[in-house]
Amino acid sequence: MEKYILIIGACGQIGTELTLTLRERYGNNRVIASDIREGSDSLMNSGPFEILDATNYDALEEVVAYYDITEVYLMAAMLSATAEKFPMRAWNLNMNSLFNVLNLAKEKKINKVFWPSSIAVFGPNTPKDHTPQHTIMEPSTVYGISKQSGERWCEYYFKKFNVDVRSLRYPGLISWKTMPGGGTTDYAVEIYHKALSQGRYTCFLKEDTSLPMMFMDDAIRATLELMEADAENIKVRSAYNLSAMSFDPAEMARSIQKHLPDFNIDYEPDFRQAIADSWPKSIDDSDAQKDWGWQPNLILT
Ligand SMILES: NC(=O)c1ccc[n+]([C@@H]2O[C@H](COP(=O)([O-])OP(=O)(O)OC[C@H]3O[C@@H](n4cnc5c(N)ncnc54)[C@H](O)[C@@H]3O)[C@@H](O)[C@H]2O)c1
């Protein structure tokens, strides 16, 4: 069967690069981007685009039928820092959009679903170093609670209704094409932009806050590899741990100073420090390596 892909939340930090990569791979007209707002020129000019609210089941069903969609990548969500400010809006968006897509798959209107989870599923009682795939979770943020619930529902829909849903617990993602969307690791993107435009950056996390991070190219590659893996190799139907590297803001600043020796950083931790403190420092992704051959390429130098 021919593949037609719908990306929901395509104009965001991950969706933009995911859409462009999928278009290169499968052809521009087979990859339909959608969002509640328009995106970058490269996204808007490279293939079909629809304004679509992920919480509107009827609108979603209509777009899926119109384009004969076979696979959905659901990237729309409210991220960790913003979700602390708008808890009920975050819960409604993060959960209802997922139910809408899972129910489309349950009704056999699509064959395959990708939905991203996050290291935010872990909480203050989780072992912080080399956090295993299966461990204490107990997330303490609105966003983390929605991601953990989402994981449980993905596994439930797989077991109960045979829905082919696949997921990764992305670490903080570093990229430059699109600005980040209100997460706790946004500093790792903002810092590059401020280094170039102002030569200095005030970081909202403490200098020694080490968190699991990954470059966008690796995250996109992991997503495609997971989605292209044989179904019988996907043993984890909640979400896979995924890891590349861990670093703190001071290490990142030193890495930038190798190229811009006059770059300055100072630290004014805000409410996002508590979110970061509740997350792991590093992640054990051996299940992803064993089940579908995951290997990260890029590390911070
Ligand atoms: N960026 C990261 O570091 C990171 C890390 C872990 C997990 N994730 C997860 O990956 C996914 C994508 O994250 P991102 O960083 O690209 O987020 P983002 O905020 O940059 O993009 C989200 C997109 O969703 C759109 N959107 C919001 N409400 C919508 C709605 N009702 N209907 C349709 N679209 C809507 C927004 O306009 C935006 O373009 C999210 O599920 C996020 O939780 C991201």
Side-chain angles (χ1 to χ4, degrees):
M1 186 199 250
E2 287 184 314
K3 207 193 271 272
Y4 283 92
I5 295 172
L6 174 66
I7 302 174
I8 302 172
C11 301
Q13 190 197 0
I14 306 175
T16 300
E17 300 203 33
L18 180 65
T19 303
L20 295 174
T21 308
L22 286 168
R23 282 182 172 163
E24 257 173 42
R25 196 169 180 91
Y26 297 113
N28 288 352
N29 290 328
R30 290 184 181 274
V31 180
I32 289 75
S34 74
D35 203 296
I36 48 170
R37 61 182 173 112
E38 294 198 347
S40 67
D41 287 349
S42 56
L43 182 102
M44 300 304 292
N45 297 334
S46 59
F49 177 82
E50 293 284 339
I51 291 285
L52 175 65
D53 179 350
T55 62
N56 181 340
Y57 183 83
D58 293 341
L60 178 58
E61 196 179 25
E62 209 171 290
V63 170
V64 163
Y66 182 79
Y67 289 99
D68 287 326
I69 297 296
T70 55
E71 290 182 16
V72 170
Y73 289 67
L74 172 57
M75 312 310 285
M78 195 183 289
L79 304 198
S80 57
T82 314
E84 289 305 297
K85 295 182 182 156
F86 308 106
M88 292 320 298
R89 272 171 54 193
W91 179 255
N92 288 333
L93 171 59
N94 295 4
M95 300 315 296
N96 291 339
S97 59
L98 178 59
F99 278 124
N100 285 346
V101 173
L102 290 176
N103 285 329
L104 275 178
K106 178 185 160 196
E107 301 298 328
K108 309 279 177 239
K109 292 180 173 154
I110 50 176
N111 303 332
K112 217 189 249 189
V113 175
F114 178 79
W115 168 81
S117 186
S118 158
I119 55 162
V121 291
F122 299 116
N125 298 323
T126 302
K128 286 215 177 293
D129 295 306
H130 305 292
T131 303
Q133 176 71 42
H134 301 286
T135 184
I136 298 168
M137 297 174 86
E138 302 179 4
S140 57
T141 62
V142 173
Y143 175 71
I145 294 168
S146 76
K147 289 295 184 190
Q148 197 196 17
S149 308
E151 286 193 7
R152 298 289 90 229
W153 281 109
C154 287
E155 191 185 83
Y156 183 87
Y157 269 68
F158 169 73
K159 286 190 171 155
K160 194 91 176 173
F161 308 120
N162 207 20
V163 165
D164 189 353
V165 53
R166 305 173 182 204
S167 180
L168 298 169
R169 291 174 182 153
Y170 289 135
L173 297 181
I174 310 164
S175 67
W176 56 269
K177 288 188 184 154
T178 315
M179 287 308 280
T184 302
T185 51
D186 288 8
Y187 88 85
V189 177
E190 291 168 4
I191 193 171
Y192 286 113
H193 290 273
K194 294 280 185 195
L196 286 173
S197 65
Q198 298 175 15
R200 54 171 301 103
Y201 179 63
T202 300
C203 185
F204 57 76
L205 297 181
K206 287 193 277 191
E207 59 184 306
D208 59 352
T209 310
S210 189
L211 288 169
M213 306 290 284
M214 179 177 281
F215 286 114
M216 187 62 82
D217 286 359
D218 262 3
I220 302 289
R221 185 171 56 83
T223 307
L224 266 60
E225 286 177 9
L226 176 74
M227 287 298 274
E228 287 171 1
D230 289 341
E232 68 263 23
N233 292 339
I234 311 296
K235 312 279 187 222
V236 175
R237 291 292 185 158
S238 50
Y240 277 99
N241 276 8
L242 189 70
S243 166
M245 60 191 159
S246 293
F247 58 77
D248 61 33
E251 285 171 283
M252 190 154 209
R254 282 198 293 278
S255 139
I256 291 175
Q257 280 158 348
K258 284 186 201 159
H259 305 277
L260 298 172
D262 294 335
F263 172 67
N264 265 310
I265 184 163
D266 57 9
Y267 302 91
E268 285 178 17
D270 65 14
F271 72 101
R272 289 169 279 194
Q273 185 66 45
I275 302 177
D277 287 342
S278 76
W279 290 352
K281 290 183 189 306
S282 60
I283 298 286
D284 174 349
D285 65 2
S286 45
D287 280 46
Q289 297 186 27
K290 180 165 50 79
D291 291 357
W292 46 276
W294 165 246
Q295 279 300 325
N297 271 340
L298 301 167
I299 53 164
L300 188 75
T301 51

